[in-house]
Amino acid sequence: MRIAQEGLPLAGRRRSMRLGVLCGLEREARIIRAALPDVDCDVRCSGAISENAARRSEELVAAGATHLLSFGLAGALEDHLRPGDLILPEQVMSAEDEVWAVNGAWRGLAAERMREAAGGAILGLDRAARTAAQKLFIRGIFDAAAVDMESHILARCAAAHALPLLVIRAISDDRRSLIPRAAMAGVGPNGEDRILNVLASLAHRPNEIGALAKLGISSGKGFRTLGRVAGLALPA
């Protein structure tokens, strides 16, 4: 296991700050844009597709980002985490046994502003952990509190370019919850909602309606948490 450097200290940067944000969903992007209207902030969405996440991460750097933020929802791997809980991980892990540290100074500032946030590590996966059995299996291998589909890719990019990284995630589904296939079908390649795809998926799997409704309620709690803390994400 190798631990990558966390990027340059915040105080060591002389050029003006430009915040680069990677989200999976367009709704997450709208939240951070609305919270930081007067900030030089470039927000991009991957649509929960790993290839898109890698491309968007490099686009953020090419556009002049000086700080990189992974912002959005996450799935819980630990029993005590509930929908709406906030996490500020100290480390990002990948399934390839990579570990990256977030920027300590930036996280310290965020933690002072978001005192209810949990710490620990977040695991990035290229495929969603949809079922309780999958989450239990993953938690048995990796010492991570939660899982998402963007943070590991942005962390890899941040390490390659020696840029400060922060991860802000809100829990959308607890360890025992199911993410129905209809929910995954409803996300477009740029993170946009595709309601017709959801309806088509439910037509084939009507038994998922209950799980989809439950996810809608729990993810709503996560979105509300993101909206409450998004304006506190700045490194200074």
Side-chain angles (χ1 to χ4, degrees), residues 174 211 213 218:
D174 63 35
S218 62

Side-chain angles (χ1 to χ4, degrees), residues 12-93:
R13 298 189 173 276
R14 295 184 178 180
R15 53 181 172 158
S16 60
M17 189 203 78
R18 180 172 173 79
L19 182 62
V21 186
L22 182 65
C23 302
L25 307 176
E26 177 57 32
R27 185 172 175 182
E28 298 163 345
R30 290 197 299 268
I31 289 172
I32 191 74
R33 290 188 187 112
L36 303 173
D38 301 320
V39 175
D40 189 2
C41 182
D42 187 0
V43 186
R44 314 227 173 181
C45 296
S46 70
I49 300 172
S50 58
E51 293 82 0
N52 285 355
R55 190 177 304 114
R56 303 291 182 263
S57 297
E58 291 297 335
E59 288 172 358
L60 289 171
V61 175
T66 61
H67 299 73
L68 295 176
L69 170 65
S70 175
F71 181 83
L73 301 177
L77 294 179
E78 293 186 343
D79 286 329
H80 68 88
L81 291 174
R82 295 289 182 266
D85 285 354
L86 180 67
I87 55 174
L88 280 173
E90 289 95 355
Q91 291 183 330
V92 181
M93 307 170 67

Side-chain angles (χ1 to χ4, degrees), residues 98-221:
E98 300 163 292
V99 180
W100 302 271
V102 304
N103 186 274
W106 190 2
R107 187 194 179 278
L109 287 173
E112 289 180 5
R113 300 163 181 164
M114 310 174 198
R115 295 186 181 275
E116 80 278 22
I122 190 164
L123 173 67
L125 295 176
D126 293 338
R127 291 174 178 261
R130 294 183 47 254
T131 69
Q134 289 172 343
K135 294 175 186 176
L136 181 61
F137 177 78
I138 291 168
R139 186 63 180 85
I141 299 174
F142 298 97
D143 186 17
V147 61
D148 73 5
M149 299 180 67
E150 295 84 34
S151 292
H152 65 305
I153 296 175
L154 189 64
R156 191 178 290 132
C157 177
H161 296 280
L163 293 176
L165 170 75
L166 182 68
V167 176
I168 299 176
R169 292 278 163 169
I171 297 299
S172 61
D173 49 295
D174 63 35
R175 193 186 68 75
R176 292 176 172 80
S177 294
L178 169 71
I179 299 178
R181 290 181 177 87
M184 302 302 297
V187 180
N190 294 309
E192 71 276 18
D193 292 333
R194 290 190 166 181
I195 303 302
L196 292 180
N197 287 13
V198 174
L199 296 176
S201 180
L202 287 176
H204 290 285
R205 303 180 186 89
N207 60 309
E208 289 190 343
I209 292 176
L212 186 64
K214 180 181 178 182
L215 180 63
I217 294 171
S218 62
S219 62
K221 295 178 180 178

